[in-house]
Amino acid sequence: MSAILQSYLRGQWAAPAKDLAEIPSAIDGAVIAKTGSSGSDFAEAVRYARETGGKNLRALTFHQRADILKKLAAYLSEKKEPLYALAAHTGATKRDNMVDIEGGIGTLFAYASRGRRDLPAEKFIVEGPNEQLSKGGKFAGTHILTPRAGIAVHINAFNFPVWGPLEKFAPAFLAGIPVITKPATASAYVSEALMRLIVESKLLPDGALQMICGPTGDLLDHLNGQDSLCFTGSIETSDKLRNHPAVSKNAVRFVAERDSLNAAILGTDAAPGTPEFDLFIKEVVREMTVKAGQKCTAIRRVFVPRAQEAAVIDALKAQLSAIKIGDPRVEDTRMGALVSMTQKRSVQEKVREIASEAEIVFGDPAASGTDDAALKGGAFISPVLLRCAKPMDAKRVHVTEAFGPVATVMAYDTLEQAVELVAKGEGSLVASVFTYDPSVASALVFGIAPYHGRLLVIDRDSGKESTGHGSPLPYLVHGGPGRAGGGEELGGMRSVHHYLQRTAIQASPDRIVSLTKDWSKGAATVPSQEHPFRKDFDTLVIGDTIETAARKVSLEDIEHFANFTGDTFYAHMDEAAAKANPFFPGRVAHGYLILSFAAGLFVEPAPGPVLANYGLDNLRFLKPVSPGDDIRVRLTVKQKQDARKPEYGEVRWDVEVFNQDSETVARYELLTMNARRAA
Ligand code: NAP
């Protein structure tokens, strides 16, 4: 961190010349840094991202980018300690900061491993299989996904200065898109320190990541239809950005994650004394107090069966009064401060709005919750629990987000009413359902799913291992409909796809193979003189094919296989019973026998470059094989892919098994590891 925060633009650190804003520490109000962006040339920053960053990133494959993400995650893991000390000034305790810092680094690791596993060692993705578009079979269609020739601007909220930028950066980088990221001013000193570590690592290609500390000036004016704008923050700013002339006119892809009135619902079965009741109380208190409630996913609305309302309020009050509020750097502090006095005033105002429809049953929004004189200038606030007596008639409690340790308890009379109440939030990121009753779980989950991006169903079985209501996970969707912004920041490969352009390609099957390097039925095969199992990975050509001789399947084969494996299912062993089945003409061969015979037909047995068969994909048995049928196999190289290790590559084979009438009886993709050519 520097006393005056600098932006990192066009490969250089740039200090603002004037118009500096002061950033106070949340702990005591002392100025911890100053920030501004005057003098920065955003047109040039956009151009640098587009021309240098985009070019560098698009030169890499998905796997190469995944490898860089992994190295960056490892580097940050080693160097992260100073971030903790700094982040305490945002009011966050060590436990809060673990969510932010470890969560951010963990997200990089997660995308690195998914990128390696789920994306090809290519610069594009093929979404097959081909669709045949003409009767003659010479015109087909498929889809490809390529990195858009643009940039991504990421604008973040103050509450996760490490996780926020990293969880947006990881999928964009994996997709091959250069990023300009802007942290929220209130905690920008932590994000700037993170950026310094990233720059020091020298791991990212030039132009892959730039950071603006301070206002974004005319940045958005320079965005065009190849660009994306991803925002996390308030509904008001989201509206401004979405309606920015360049964003709307140029159809800049816009994703927003914003205010969310997330709910926790206690099931009708979860009375005091049940594990679900205890888990519910614990989770509500945790969500109110972690990061002092400054989490987009925090529980704001607490729905309980009317019969349990008083017991829930008593239990919450008991646990909230045990929360120690104070200096976040002190080990036993359970709740630190809000990020700033501005934020504290905003929370107090929002509590006043909610209180017009509810009564405060615990806490005092005017109180700091700590009598430590050293913290007098800090943005501390006591947790506030409210109770709304008439939630069906209320409006504000459902749509007013106090971004602090504030929640409102509301009673419901029926499960249908609980669903109606949850829906009054107008779309949320997440909700939790606490029940051990399958019918209660089903009524609530299917009732409220349309209003949410993520749902947790917590009970005595999952409670202990649950990652919690408030933690978005990189593999699962994070985002929600309506008020929550309609975006999807996370979600595994879905969030990578946000940055790619999907294009339908219509052409002959052969042209599609030459473009996509993915063989599909209908494209020409390359008859292989030498058995393809004798060819190393580098010699194999997409479309290399062998057609095997035929083999008769006899009744003895079927009986032998049945007795040998123990699979004496009636369709293979009992003529009358098989005939009675509408799908079989009489006794038929086992599907697994067909697979085994197919392998016997196409395998080249001598030691050679095929190292291992590691699976089958998309297996279908399409027609029964009767005793006396002759089967034969066509084996074709469909795709080749570099593997993690330099010694071998992965080959996907298209396998089609025919009968004597050339009808397809089985089809699947065989996956093998093949040795590379000796150097
Ligand atoms: P905010 O005031 O909307 O600010 C969010 C970001 O937008 C900040 O980086 C801010 O920069 C920037 N910004 C503000 N006006 C802008 C403009 N005209 N042009 C470009 N950028 C602009 O929200 P916040 O106070 O930081 O965050 C709290 C809100 O975020 C809460 O409402 C919370 O619900 C929401 N949130 C949502 C999620 C989610 O995933 N859904 C996560 C976290 C927070 P400056 O700070 O420099 O003004």
Side-chain angles (χ1 to χ4, degrees):
M1 194 213 47
S2 53
I4 295 181
L5 302 184
Q6 299 187 2
S7 295
Y8 185 72
L9 299 171
R10 291 188 285 153
Q12 285 174 348
W13 290 101
K18 52 186 171 83
D19 303 329
L20 299 183
E22 292 182 340
I23 310 178
S25 163
I27 301 174
D28 53 14
V31 172
I32 187 149
K34 293 180 186 177
T35 185
S37 63
S38 67
S40 296
D41 187 336
F42 296 128
E44 281 303 310
V46 168
R47 187 158 41 173
Y48 182 70
R50 239 186 252 302
E51 293 176 3
T52 304
K55 201 164 147 217
N56 286 340
L57 286 169
R58 287 193 296 273
L60 302 174
T61 64
F62 291 110
H63 285 194
Q64 288 168 322
R65 294 193 287 259
D67 289 345
I68 294 174
L69 277 185
K70 189 172 174 189
K71 285 188 194 143
L72 181 61
Y75 183 88
L76 294 177
S77 258
E78 260 183 36
K79 309 271 180 180
K80 67 192 173 194
E81 264 337 294
L83 296 178
Y84 276 91
L86 208 48
H89 286 284
T90 68
T93 62
K94 178 144 196 212
R95 195 173 59 140
D96 296 339
N97 283 325
M98 278 175 66
V99 179
D100 186 31
I101 296 169
E102 310 302 330
I105 295 171
T107 300
L108 294 187
F109 274 124
Y111 273 96
S113 86
R114 279 287 159 117
R116 263 291 187 171
R117 206 188 73 187
D118 297 347
L119 293 173
E122 287 289 352
K123 297 170 184 166
F124 59 90
I125 299 171
V126 183
E127 271 188 352
N130 284 359
E131 298 283 344
Q132 193 172 319
L133 299 176
S134 68
K135 274 200 175 141
K138 286 292 171 207
F139 193 54
T142 193
H143 289 90
I144 57 168
L145 280 78
T146 52
R148 282 148 59 90
I151 71 163
V153 171
H154 293 165
I155 298 182
N156 288 297
F158 66 77
N159 54 344
F160 286 107
V162 175
W163 179 78
L166 292 183
E167 55 110 18
K168 285 191 177 71
F169 170 71
F173 181 81
L174 198 50
I177 305 295
V179 168
I180 298 179
T181 188
K182 177 202 150 33
T185 294
S187 57
Y189 49 92
V190 183
S191 304
E192 195 231 35
L194 169 72
M195 187 70 191
R196 287 190 180 274
L197 293 179
I198 294 174
V199 172
E200 275 161 29
S201 79
K202 296 193 168 67
L203 286 165
L204 298 185
D206 288 347
L209 181 62
Q210 301 179 74
M211 176 177 279
I212 297 171
C213 291
T216 51
D218 64 355
L219 175 73
L220 302 188
D221 294 343
H222 307 293
L223 299 187
N224 69 35
Q226 289 291 306
D227 300 330
S228 309
L229 174 59
C230 303
F231 170 76
T232 301
S234 64
I235 212 160
E236 295 78 19
T237 312
S238 161
D239 273 354
K240 254 189 236 164
L241 301 185
R242 192 190 292 272
N243 296 315
H244 183 282
V247 173
S248 55
K249 177 166 166 271
N250 299 330
V252 171
R253 271 191 195 170
F254 182 73
V255 174
E257 303 297 331
R258 53 191 204 189
D259 310 13
S260 181
L261 277 290
N262 313 293
I265 308 139
L266 186 67
T268 40
D269 57 308
T274 62
E276 287 71 29
F277 184 91
D278 295 342
L279 288 163
F280 178 80
I281 299 297
K282 200 168 150 204
E283 196 68 10
V284 172
V285 171
R286 181 159 67 160
E287 285 300 307
M288 285 179 71
T289 53
V290 168
K291 293 220 72 150
Q294 297 166 112
K295 275 194 330 188
C296 54
T297 49
I299 295 169
R300 310 285 178 205
R301 297 180 302 146
V302 181
F303 295 109
V304 301
R306 190 165 301 283
Q308 313 306 352
E309 189 183 21
V312 166
I313 290 174
D314 285 348
L316 289 175
K317 280 163 75 171
Q319 291 209 9
L320 286 171
S321 49
I323 298 288
K324 183 170 179 292
I325 301 167
D327 189 328
R329 295 166 294 194
V330 174
E331 199 65 41
D332 67 343
T333 295
R334 287 276 305 280
M335 193 176 98
L338 295 173
V339 75
S340 63
M341 290 307 286
T342 314
Q343 187 61 22
K344 181 170 169 174
R345 281 189 292 274
S346 158
V347 170
Q348 288 168 327
E349 190 191 312
K350 294 292 168 64
V351 170
R352 268 195 297 279
E353 270 179 49
I354 298 170
S356 66
E357 295 174 339
E359 56 175 320
I360 294 175
V361 292
F362 178 87
D364 173 2
S368 69
T370 169
D371 44 20
D372 185 339
L375 307 177
K376 250 179 72 189
F380 295 87
I381 189 168
S382 110
V384 178
L385 186 70
L386 298 101
R387 170 188 177 254
C388 174
K390 293 188 170 171
M392 286 300 284
D393 302 333
K395 167 84 180 141
R396 291 190 178 142
V397 286
H398 299 294
V399 296
T400 308
E401 184 201 41
F403 205 58
V406 180
T408 307
V409 177
M410 295 175 250
Y412 67 84
D413 294 310
T414 62
L415 290 177
E416 291 73 28
Q417 196 183 67
V419 169
E420 225 179 300
L421 287 167
V422 172
K424 283 177 183 284
E426 300 174 355
S428 299
L429 296 169
V430 55
S432 292
V433 171
F434 292 75
T435 177
Y436 203 49
D437 181 325
S439 62
V440 174
S442 177
L444 290 174
V445 165
F446 291 104
I448 66 175
Y451 302 96
H452 292 88
R454 184 163 65 89
L455 293 179
L456 278 84
V457 185
I458 305 284
D459 59 26
R460 61 199 74 179
D461 297 334
S462 65
K464 212 164 163 203
E465 293 175 29
S466 160
T467 46
H469 170 102
S471 302
L473 300 172
Y475 299 148
L476 303 180
V477 162
H478 172 55
R483 170 170 291 276
E488 269 184 23
E489 270 174 346
L490 296 180
M493 285 310 115
R494 276 184 297 270
S495 51
V496 176
H497 287 188
H498 284 314
Y499 293 101
L500 302 173
Q501 178 62 45
R502 178 178 286 104
T503 308
I505 303 289
Q506 294 166 259
S508 73
D510 289 346
R511 177 60 62 236
I512 290 178
V513 175
S514 81
L515 288 167
T516 62
K517 301 179 213 159
D518 183 355
W519 186 90
S520 269
K521 194 173 175 177
T525 53
V526 184
S528 189
Q529 299 309 317
E530 193 183 13
H531 192 290
F533 274 26
R534 305 254 26 104
K535 296 182 183 175
D536 60 49
F537 178 81
D538 299 284
T539 310
L540 279 173
V541 173
I542 304 289
D544 260 351
T545 297
I546 54 156
E547 304 242 4
T548 71
R551 158 175 196 151
K552 192 169 291 302
V553 180
S554 69
L555 194 57
E556 291 70 42
D557 289 332
I558 296 171
E559 289 188 343
H560 176 73
F561 189 81
N563 292 324
F564 179 52
T565 62
D567 178 356
T568 53
F569 187 62
Y570 72 87
H572 315 304
M573 304 304 284
D574 181 336
E575 183 68 16
K579 262 207 168 100
N581 179 316
F583 294 107
F584 300 127
R587 290 174 72 178
V588 294
H590 306 67
Y592 305 116
L593 175 59
I594 305 300
L595 281 188
S596 305
F597 278 166
L601 288 167
F602 68 65
V603 152
E604 211 292 322
V610 178
L611 305 175
N613 161 357
Y614 68 96
L616 302 179
D617 272 354
N618 302 324
L619 170 64
R620 287 289 177 278
F621 298 119
L622 297 163
K623 217 173 164 36
V625 172
S626 302
D629 282 355
D630 293 310
I631 60 166
R632 65 187 167 83
V633 182
R634 187 185 61 209
L635 177 76
T636 305
V637 176
K638 179 173 169 57
Q639 279 172 7
K640 289 169 50 178
Q641 169 125 290
D642 285 339
R644 273 173 198 275
K645 298 262 162 53
E647 304 87 59
Y648 65 86
E650 294 166 359
V651 182
R652 182 176 288 265
W653 307 77
D654 184 280
V655 185
E656 192 161 1
V657 186
F658 303 95
N659 65 16
Q660 61 284 353
D661 300 320
S662 293
E663 295 168 317
T664 306
V665 298
R667 186 130 197 234
Y668 55 97
E669 289 160 19
L670 167 72
L671 311 170
T672 62
M673 294 174 190
N674 286 43
R676 312 269 329 212
R677 185 179 299 152

